[in-house]
Amino acid sequence: MELTITYIIITIYSISLMLIFFYSLAQLNLLVNYLGNKRKNLEAPKYNLLDPKEIPFVTIQLPIFNEEYVVERLLDNIAKIEYPSNKLEIQVLDDSTDDSVLDTAKRIEALQATGLDITHIRRTNRQGYKAGALKEGLKIAKGDFIAIFDADFLPDGDWLKKTVIYFKDQEIGVVQTRWGHINRDYSTLTRIQAFALDAHFTLEQVGRNAKGHFINFNGTAGIWRKECILDAGNWEGDTLTEDLDLSYRAQLKNWKFKYLEDVETPAELPVVISAARSQQFRWNKGGAENFRKTVWKVITSKNISFKTKFHGVMHLLNSSMFLCVFIVAVLSIPMLYIKNIFGHLAWIFEATSFFIVSTVILFVCYWFTYKSIQGSSFEKFIDYIKLFFTFFSVALGFSLHNSMAVIEGHMGKRSEFVRTPKFNINNLTDTWKGNKYLAKKLSPNMILEAALMIYFLFGMYSAIPLNDFGLFPFHFMLFLGFGFVFFKSLTSKA
């Protein structure tokens, strides 16, 4: 019986390690694509916005829900978009249930008085959440192209001029831009989030797009061709990441996506860990829901290559890597004892090297994405090393929370779309204290995270009597990661 349990632990541990290894290989291939794309300079057909006949009509949709702290900043910024007024309308899709509705209405009236074509669209319910609001606005949208911005985004005045021009290619259904971060250096938490998002918006988006593999509209800071939305089946609210869902349905119908790494759209990162938790939960559960909904369609599609299918499956499995990492972490301590008790099984522990190789691959991949934005001096490389291992530790600390989201997604458990609280943080001196949208209750996961912090402290201690320090750095990062998430959660209540 004891040996049977041992073999079960080894099998689960090894499978999880191999999945992580395959994911890292996919990332490495994306890095090759990314570096290859840097050497290309292909000229795409573009609208000539100096010719009035070529200027397309654009509708900007602003889906908001209880955004008291940022809605004025959002509306004032969007009002500065440089585009012919007779070819632009703005829809404020306001599902708010608090007093912010009144302030929003007043600000919209003031902007209407300036001649801006802006409307305040209210629904009687939140059916379909953000997807439902976008779908409702689409019914009456005058534009052939639909630009979407979440409440914490601040596009530059010439944003439309830089993006809508690419739709002259009739096969393009979406143009997506890279997210920037107005509060990147606010705290360790914001630096980590910026680091992870930068990797996605450089390595992954460029790496996939460069070879015609499927990418995703990121929910904001991009434009859809209205015809593409309708042809793909319109917005659906049956997953928490409606953007990923519609993106895959559109690309399965052969619509092309254009990603613009050089066009940055600034936005505000969550500055409180409870807000980051809700965002991470939605993204990771939504990813798993979309895997469940879409992966078979990708695998069986006759219109796409094997390599595009492989990257599509790995893309849809992105969030599930947290579950693999969590399994490897939890089982690493039993594995440490198995290695020392069952000497004849020591050869199996060569599989652990796959995790080391995976970490090295990610370290290399993320360096190229980091230096593309931050620069590549020696000082920057030292900063990168510190940031990478801080990011890695905190990502491990989030693995329980995100694994629960992934499990719910794969099981098909439905849950409410929980918005990420916004703070109107523009500089290092701004504060989030008193934000009324922050969760007042402590997460039940916190007890488990505290227990895991102690568990991995025990893992470090175990290395001493066993005289086996191979996993000590891993357990140390896990201890720090769960400690960071636990103590930050304790101190982030409004």
Side-chain angles (χ1 to χ4, degrees), residues 6 66 75 170 193 249 288 302 330 349 393 462:
T6 297
N66 295 351
L75 295 176
Q170 296 299 309
Q193 292 175 88
R249 284 189 279 122
K302 294 182 172 61
V330 170
F349 288 83
S393 297
S462 299

Side-chain angles (χ1 to χ4, degrees), residues 263-439:
V263 180
E264 181 185 55
T265 309
E268 178 187 314
L269 293 161
V271 295
V272 180
I273 204 161
S274 60
R277 275 181 182 276
S278 66
Q279 188 178 72
Q280 287 284 310
F281 190 90
R282 188 174 72 249
W283 287 352
N284 286 290
K285 181 172 181 176
E289 288 173 331
N290 273 288
F291 177 85
R292 192 169 181 264
K293 177 177 179 177
T294 307
V295 72
W296 187 244
K297 296 174 185 175
V298 172
I299 292 171
T300 58
S301 173
K302 294 182 172 61
N303 301 325
I304 55 179
S305 68
F306 173 80
K307 200 166 184 180
T308 296
K309 289 180 181 182
F310 171 74
H311 278 289
V313 172
M314 296 310 295
H315 187 190
L316 292 168
L317 272 175
N318 261 0
S319 63
S320 299
M321 288 303 110
F322 276 105
L323 181 57
C324 293
V325 168
F326 182 68
I327 290 170
V328 167
V330 170
L331 294 183
S332 64
I333 295 178
M335 288 291 285
L336 187 63
Y337 281 91
I338 289 170
K339 179 182 178 182
N340 285 273
I341 294 172
F342 300 98
H344 66 288
L345 297 176
W347 62 272
I348 294 173
F349 288 83
E350 296 299 321
T352 304
S353 63
F354 282 110
F355 190 78
I356 298 170
V357 173
S358 299
T359 304
V360 171
I361 289 173
L362 293 177
F363 180 86
V364 172
C365 290
Y366 285 9
W367 163 241
F368 279 96
T369 64
Y370 178 87
K371 76 174 186 175
S372 72
I373 296 174
Q374 301 296 325
S376 57
S377 65
F378 178 75
E379 291 79 9
K380 290 292 184 182
F381 183 67
I382 298 301
D383 289 342
Y384 167 75
I385 293 173
K386 292 186 287 187
L387 185 57
F388 177 83
F389 286 103
T390 303
F391 155 75
F392 203 76
S393 297
V394 176
L396 291 172
F398 267 104
S399 62
L400 168 67
H401 178 76
N402 291 343
S403 292
M404 288 184 167
V406 167
I407 290 169
E408 284 191 14
H410 284 304
M411 290 177 62
K413 180 181 177 181
R414 301 299 299 274
S415 60
E416 183 182 357
F417 184 105
V418 179
R419 61 177 285 283
T420 304
K422 314 299 189 307
F423 305 90
N424 195 16
I425 299 293
N426 297 293
N427 54 61
L428 297 177
T429 60
D430 288 341
T431 181
W432 52 268
K433 296 291 185 181
N435 187 302
K436 69 181 184 181
Y437 298 128
L438 284 176

